[in-house]
Amino acid sequence: MSYDTQTPQAPQPSPAALRNGLGTTALILGIIGTVSGLIPLFFWLAGILGVIALILGLVGRGRVKRGEANNKGVTTTGAVLGLAALVLSVVGAVITFTAVSDAVDEINKAVEDAAPKDPSGKTPAAGTADDPGDQGEQGKGLAAGDTSVYDDELKVTVSKATPYSPGEFAVGHTKGNKAYQVTVVIENGGKEKFDAGLVTADARAGEDGVTAEEIFDEKVGSGFSGTILPGKKATAVFAFDAPADAGDLTVEVSPGLEHNASQWELKVG
């Protein structure tokens, strides 16, 4: 009697048992992400799909190396397309933010061009309470404590600049510079409520008029918010960062699109 002494062969995995799903998914998401990246406004979608496709593609390639999948070309293509979608998302974000910034600049320019101008071509600014409509003496800025009064009886007053000590985690303060704070008071002397959320304050320092960055910390930087009812006042404190050798600070307060900005020339140092 004879016996078959051959060692039995281990069963080979069937094609159905191969785990090709990740590579296929990576390819699909990579294609969608890349197409989305071609449209700048969809940069966010391209970024999300690109990250997922890249991760799935890399994991799928790991399965191919371990013999758990056999779609190496698909997984590689999916990973590459995921990376391409990420690059396109960055480009799209830059294009989108640049376009928005340019649009805002154009709107601001249009508002400035629409503002009434005096014969000299300059936009007239609001003046003091004693002389409404005339910004200080011979076009100079207002002094500390002066009040700028508008036609609708809105009144803006800026205090003198006093030294300020920024908090430990303050934003906008540069080491070696000095910080100054001013108090801005807005009084609504008109008959309609005033939206204080549109009020902005900016500053320049020194003879060269360098931008004095606004400081934000736990004490300053919140500005104005809400509305001011007729006959009521609102107060906010602003702090600005100025070069150590600056001798003056020009503070400009803009009550909103319907009001021209007023400037105060403040002594510091």
Side-chain angles (χ1 to χ4, degrees):
M1 180 180 295
S2 63
Y3 295 92
D4 186 2
T5 59
Q6 291 183 345
T7 302
Q9 298 291 327
Q12 297 295 323
S14 64
L18 294 175
R19 304 171 66 187
N20 293 331
L22 289 182
T24 303
T25 304
L27 179 62
I28 296 173
L29 295 181
I31 293 174
I32 299 175
T34 303
V35 173
S36 301
L38 297 176
I39 306 175
L41 286 177
F42 289 163
F43 69 90
W44 55 273
L45 179 60
I48 295 174
L49 296 181
V51 170
I52 298 175
L54 180 59
I55 294 174
L56 295 182
L58 294 177
V59 175
R61 281 179 58 84
R63 288 185 175 180
V64 171
K65 290 181 179 180
R66 294 192 299 271
E68 299 175 2
N70 64 353
N71 59 344
K72 180 178 179 181
V74 173
T75 57
T76 301
T77 303
V80 171
L81 289 177
L83 182 60
L86 283 176
V87 174
L88 290 174
S89 71
V90 174
V91 175
V94 173
I95 294 175
T96 300
F97 292 141
T98 300
V100 172
S101 178
D102 291 342
V104 171
D105 291 341
E106 289 296 327
I107 293 174
N108 291 336
K109 183 178 179 181
V111 172
E112 292 178 358
D113 292 342
K117 300 180 181 297
D118 62 20
S120 66
K122 298 179 179 180
T123 301
T128 64
D130 295 331
D131 188 13
D134 184 12
Q135 177 76 15
E137 182 180 350
Q138 297 181 351
K140 295 182 180 180
L142 302 171
D146 284 346
T147 300
S148 180
V149 181
Y150 294 84
D151 292 339
D152 58 357
E153 294 302 319
L154 184 72
K155 301 176 182 179
V156 181
T157 306
V158 175
S159 70
K160 66 179 182 178
T162 58
Y164 179 74
S165 298
E168 181 180 359
F169 302 104
V171 176
H173 177 59
T174 301
K175 185 177 181 180
N177 285 358
K178 292 184 178 180
Y180 299 95
Q181 70 175 27
V182 296
T183 300
V184 180
V185 179
I186 297 180
E187 179 180 359
N188 184 4
K191 298 180 180 179
E192 301 291 335
K193 63 181 181 180
F194 172 73
D195 184 2
L198 298 177
V199 178
T200 60
D202 301 289
R204 297 185 300 276
E207 295 181 356
D208 296 332
V210 298
T211 299
E213 296 291 341
E214 184 178 353
I215 297 174
F216 297 86
D217 61 14
E218 67 277 7
K219 294 178 289 186
V220 297
S222 58
F224 290 95
S225 62
T227 58
I228 305 176
L229 297 176
K232 300 296 183 179
K233 297 181 180 180
T235 302
V237 177
F238 296 86
F240 299 98
D241 189 62
D245 59 352
D248 58 79
L249 189 70
T250 300
V251 176
E252 180 176 280
V253 178
S254 175
L257 298 178
E258 297 181 357
H259 301 82
N260 295 324
S262 297
Q263 294 183 352
W264 282 258
E265 298 290 343
L266 310 177
K267 294 296 182 181
V268 298

